[in-house]
Amino acid sequence: MKSWTFRVIGVAAAGVLLAGCGTGGKAATTSEAASAGGAGAIRDLNYAVVIHGNPDGSFWNVVKRGAEDAATQFRVNVEITGDVEGANQAKLIDAALAKKPTGLVVSMANPDALKASLENATSQGIPFVTINSGAEVSAEFGAIGHVGQTETVAGEGAGTELKNAGATKLICVIHEAGNIGLEQRCKGAAETFGGTVENLQVDLANPQGIQSTVKSKLLGDKSIDGVLSLNPDVAVAALAGVKDAGSSAKVGTFDINADVLKSIEAGDILFAVDQQQYLQGYLPIAMLVLYHDNLNTVGGGLPVLTGPAFITKDNVATVSDLVSKGTR
Amino acid sequence: MSAEFGSGAAAIIIFIGFSIAAPAFASREGIGNFLDPAATLGIMAVAVALLMIGGEFDLSSGVLIGSTGLVTALVTTQLNTNVWFGMLISLAFALVVGLLNGILVHRTKLPSFIITLATYFMLWGLNYAVTTGVTDQVTVSGIADYNGYDSAKAVFGSSAGGFQVSLIWWIVLTVIGIVLLTRTTAGNWIAAVGGNAAGALAMGVPVARVRIGLFMGTAFAAWLVGQLTVIRYASATVTTGIGQEFNFIIAAVIGGCLLTGGAGSVLGASIGALIFGMVQQGMPLAGLPSELFKFFLGAILLLAVLINLYLKKRAQGGKA
């Protein structure tokens, strides 16, 4: 009898030990897999992120990184797709919904195009968070929260900066026709700028074209003394156009890349509006996981703002490293 | 001949019109400025026109511009090599893409529209995946710090008095294209293959070589424009060139190329690129809303096609 009891206790103890070892080992492997990039999901929670862009712009790549990092840390699955066209984005949402995800993250540059798809999400009981654009209609559409920079507020910030730098006549360079967010930035800038603001349409895929068009505009109207770019790659080409035209116009931009950072260091670009888009990838995943586990919501119907933060000559050194890591 | 006359006359009218609307347009600065985007477009339009005369399309030519720039930048910065070495690898890459396009189109007999559409998406995906995979970013910069950049800049990225060096490349390529098409056997072959490939084959024209050569030609032009961009801006971005392929086709069509192949003009294509550049730059100079640019582009394209149609009908009427 006694020996039998001991044996049971022994086996149990060994079991506990083994279990202990097992957990330790398992934790180690998952964190290894996790650091290798999102493959370490141990919870069967699947989140779809559908953005209004190819996930290959300077900008969206950082959003993607944020979402992937959140997926790794919360050990869930995240799948990211996107298309610049509203109707195509809606189709991608429908495709994502067909897989019955735990939650959905959607950027809303063109809310009307996505309305039906998001109603589908609601009727299927799939919670969603909107990011980037679309703060105005997010709650109305039934999102549990919105994470983004209100484009108008960010534009207002940029307008103020340019005004304070002494500019009086501004061109706002739009690189993607039909993107409401870009229009709102220009409108916001016009609110606070005080002087004249004119929009200038260019093509993101053609740097020579951007440079020449900015130069043409500056040659055509010598009184223009401010240029607001809405994309870092556009900023580089636009700056070249400003220099070519022999203009002393102040240049500001939205978002950053290595070249913009260098130009800020050199004093050629006044500022970059940083909307910290890493947060727009990261926070919604965190919010959706918290909602799943604990029914938490953030913002109470008001957007959670990720910007505008400004990168200027004063703080450029501190963010450079993070930019090269792809998280800023 | 007549196609060049039509587009040439249009170019002169557009030039005069913008010069009146905005005197700065006709200044040295203004001229240099519209010649800048026209040059890169024109280099592509010459190669694309030859390809279209040969009866094919290349939808991958735009994105390949971005690819070749990325290859140059990535090879140089990641392998820590001379910039010229990066450009050489990039050239090899471009020619392989052209070779594959040509072989696939020739062997499968599928429309080149479909084959190069596939190449377009594959290159787009590779541009993005490889660049972000290697650098964690979508813009590769910093090649200005590597050996050979200064000499490369002199050849591909310099400017003098507001005129870019790309202008010289454009002129040289246009002349080569004209001579090739109008003065050589290969030129006759191109038109023959584009007009009636089966007939050309029966006449002993090396159809396969012509087709593959033409696709390698657009790939070479894409490489050249890719280098003119990556060296000038000292950085390469994954979005560069995407969607530009239609502009090349538009320039070629404005210049008199038929969508059915067999006829067209290299000089016309270059004039088409010139018109494109003038309208693109003249509008902001004249204070016209830049949002209307695409409308005018479409209107010019429509007008050019209608004039071509009229001339073609009249030519046929004359024969009958």
Side-chain angles (χ1 to χ4, degrees), chain A residues 66 72 85 96 149 231:
Chain A
T72 307
E85 199 87 42
Q149 159 179 270
N231 169 293

Side-chain angles (χ1 to χ4, degrees), chain A residues 54-58 61 64-65 200-201 203 205-208 211-213 215-216 219-220 233 258-259 323-324, chain B residues 29 33 36-37 40 124 128 132 136-139 141 229 232-233 235 237-242 244 281 285 290:
Chain A
N54 330 310
D56 65 350
S58 308
N61 191 43
K64 189 175 171 183
R65 177 62 58 85
L200 182 68
Q201 185 73 49
D203 187 346
N206 182 1
Q208 283 94 343
Q211 177 175 343
S212 294
T213 304
K215 185 181 166 191
S216 290
L219 288 176
D233 297 321
D259 290 325
V323 171
S324 63
Chain B
E29 265 178 323
N33 204 31
D36 178 11
T40 44
W124 188 350
Y128 176 43
T132 54
D136 281 336
Q137 292 181 51
V138 290
T139 301
S141 52
T229 309
R232 177 166 163 189
Y233 294 101
S235 69
T237 304
V238 296
T239 45
T240 301
I242 294 169
Q244 299 293 299
Q281 301 314 318
L285 253 181
S290 49

